[in-house]
């Protein structure tokens, strides 16, 4: 989600799709990847889209025309991608296959690539300015920290780590969970990190005190987590592995999106609808709804009614 009116989705069918969130209309498709698209990010003005693929490529697109502007091949599948604040840098995370170590790659971005319609691909470097190594297993997600001074990563090695972007030095290692850390979210200008794990929990970490501020316990694998920008709510999504889930009922597979109180950690409610594990979810920028993406290939756009805002769950 960018300003909240457009939604960009990545999927295992090799395509990226742009939707309107108010009526579900499909606005366009970005074709070019030759494998699963693991993650996308969008510039603040919604003019550029960057994508990470299992085909070992990062691609940058013009949103208005759908034109592929530039791509860079990596040695292994690219699991995550993120634009930095100011959009003059991006990061990519590559898998630990074919003898390669899992890596975070930092790239500078040519100004014309993000602003001009007449970009010359020769202006964009194809070499990372830094490669960060240190995780023991596959990196599952990575985000920029405050003012691009750090990056924060999570991994199948059950840790959350913070790295200095000037030196590549490991600043902080948190033994965060008892299972794979599937995704992370940053909040409060990057000073807070939420982690979602296969150990049936999500946690909120204060990166300044290096302590777990709150844990949210689920009864199933947690694939993603997000925090409301306007209410004291945290949402969790996940569920059993696809091979273990029937298509009869979302409840049986524990594939609901669950709401928790941010400070007290208590479960407030749940929203059903998916028939497979919830792989990703995100609040709208204005906090008046959220989206969820399921393993069954369905994106659900939820708009909160007036009752959501009138209920007193803050006390």
């Amino acid at each position: 989600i960018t300003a909240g009116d457009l939604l960009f989705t990545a999927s295992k069918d090799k395509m990226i799709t742009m939707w309107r969130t108010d009526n579900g209309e499909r606005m366009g498709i970005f074709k070019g990847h030759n494998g699963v698209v693991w993650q996308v990010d969008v510039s603040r003005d919604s003019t550029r889209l960057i994508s990470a693929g299992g085909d070992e490529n990062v691609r940058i697109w013009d949103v208005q025309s759908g034109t592929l502007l530039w791509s860079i091949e990596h040695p292994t599948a690219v699991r995550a991608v993120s634009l930095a604040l100011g959009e003059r840098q991006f990061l990519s995370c590559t898998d630990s296959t074919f003898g390669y170590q899992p890596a975070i790659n930092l790239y500078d971005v040519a100004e014309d690539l993000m602003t001009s319609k007449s970009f010359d691909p020769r202006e964009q470097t194809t070499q990372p300015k830094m490669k960060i190594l240190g995780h023991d297993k596959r990196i599952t997600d990575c985000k920029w920290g405050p003012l691009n001074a750090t990056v924060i990563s999570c991994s199948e090695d059950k840790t959350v780590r913070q790295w200095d972007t000037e030196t590549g030095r490991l600043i902080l290692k948190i033994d965060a969970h008892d299972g794979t850390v599937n995704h992370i979210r940053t909040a409060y200008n990057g000073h807070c990190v939420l982690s979602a794990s296969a150990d049936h929990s999500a946690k909120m970490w204060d990166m300044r005190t290096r302590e777990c501020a709150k844990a949210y316990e689920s009864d199933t694998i947690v694939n993603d987590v997000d925090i409301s920008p306007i209410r004291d709510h945290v949402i969790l999504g996940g569920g059993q592995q696809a091979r273990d889930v029937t298509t009869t009922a979302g409840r049986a597979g524990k594939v609901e999106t669950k709401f928790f109180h941010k400070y007290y950690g208590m479960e407030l409610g749940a929203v059903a609808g998916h028939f497979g594990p919830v792989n990703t979810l995100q609040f709208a920028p204005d906090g008046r709804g959220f989206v969820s993406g399921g393993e069954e290939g369905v994106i659900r756009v939820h708009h909160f009614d007036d009752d959501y805002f009138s209920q007193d769950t803050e006390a």
Side-chain angles (χ1 to χ4, degrees):
I1 300 177
T2 52
D5 54 342
L6 296 177
L7 172 67
F8 296 85
T9 59
S11 71
K12 296 179 179 178
D13 63 5
K14 310 177 185 180
M15 291 191 298
I16 304 161
T17 307
M18 179 172 65
W19 313 83
R20 289 186 59 90
T21 56
D22 57 350
N23 59 13
E25 179 185 359
R26 183 167 64 183
M27 301 293 292
I29 295 175
F30 302 83
K31 293 183 178 180
H33 279 286
N34 296 312
V36 55
V37 183
W38 286 118
Q39 200 170 80
V40 297
D41 197 9
V42 187
S43 62
R44 291 182 64 85
D45 61 3
S46 299
T47 61
R48 295 293 186 266
L49 175 75
I50 187 169
S51 56
D55 61 357
E56 305 177 355
N57 276 273
V58 166
R59 302 179 189 271
I60 295 181
W61 314 77
D62 177 74
V63 170
Q64 183 175 9
S65 66
T67 302
L68 175 63
L69 299 175
W70 179 80
S71 65
I72 174 66
E73 187 172 2
H74 290 61
T76 64
V78 187
R79 185 72 49 168
V81 70
S82 179
L83 288 167
L85 178 69
E87 297 160 0
R88 294 300 305 275
Q89 301 177 82
F90 74 86
L91 65 79
S92 64
C93 296
T94 45
D95 277 356
S96 52
T97 53
F98 307 119
Y100 289 94
Q101 292 180 268
I104 304 167
N105 310 285
L106 306 184
Y107 290 84
D108 285 325
V109 179
E111 183 176 1
D112 284 352
L113 177 55
M114 303 302 293
T115 60
S116 175
K117 292 185 179 296
S118 57
F119 167 70
D120 184 349
R122 292 173 296 182
E123 297 179 8
Q124 174 59 44
T125 178
T126 59
Q127 297 298 318
K129 67 176 184 178
M130 181 177 295
K131 179 173 289 189
I132 299 174
L133 306 174
H135 277 289
D136 301 323
K137 294 184 179 180
R138 173 185 293 164
I139 300 168
T140 52
D141 202 2
C142 192
K143 308 295 184 189
W144 291 91
L147 301 176
N148 304 332
T150 62
V151 292
I152 304 159
S153 59
C154 63
S155 167
E156 291 180 353
D157 64 15
K158 309 176 186 179
T159 68
V160 172
R161 307 192 191 204
Q162 185 181 45
W163 312 85
D164 188 299
T165 55
E166 289 295 324
T167 65
R169 179 178 62 89
L170 177 64
I171 299 172
L172 174 64
K173 175 186 175 183
I174 302 174
D175 293 316
H177 290 274
D178 294 326
T180 295
V181 186
N182 291 316
H183 276 106
I184 53 174
R185 297 275 183 184
T186 57
Y188 306 116
N189 297 319
H191 295 297
C192 176
V193 172
L194 292 99
S195 57
S197 174
D199 69 359
H200 296 197
S201 75
K203 295 181 180 180
M204 181 186 297
W205 302 94
D206 188 323
M207 303 303 286
R208 291 166 292 190
T209 64
R210 306 186 176 192
E211 294 180 351
C212 178
K214 185 58 64 178
Y216 311 95
E217 301 294 334
S218 180
D219 56 357
T220 189
I221 294 169
V222 182
N223 289 329
D224 206 357
V225 60
D226 199 15
I227 187 169
S228 171
I230 60 171
R231 302 208 71 186
D232 292 333
H233 294 167
V234 170
I235 52 175
L236 278 59
Q240 294 172 275
Q241 296 296 324
R243 62 178 178 272
D244 300 324
V245 178
T246 68
T247 57
T248 56
R251 185 72 185 180
K254 302 177 181 178
V255 295
E256 301 159 309
T257 297
K258 296 186 176 184
F259 284 69
F260 287 80
H261 194 283
K262 177 173 64 176
Y263 297 119
Y264 304 143
M266 61 184 182
E267 184 177 336
L268 302 173
V271 176
H274 286 286
F275 289 92
V278 178
N279 290 332
T280 185
L281 46 77
Q282 186 176 355
F283 275 107
D286 62 4
R288 302 192 67 82
F290 74 96
V291 296
S292 57
E295 181 71 22
E296 79 278 19
V298 174
I299 299 292
R300 298 182 65 86
V301 180
H302 305 261
H303 299 282
F304 295 133
D305 57 23
D306 292 338
D307 288 344
Y308 173 81
F309 299 99
S310 63
Q311 290 175 355
D312 182 15
T313 62
E314 312 302 319

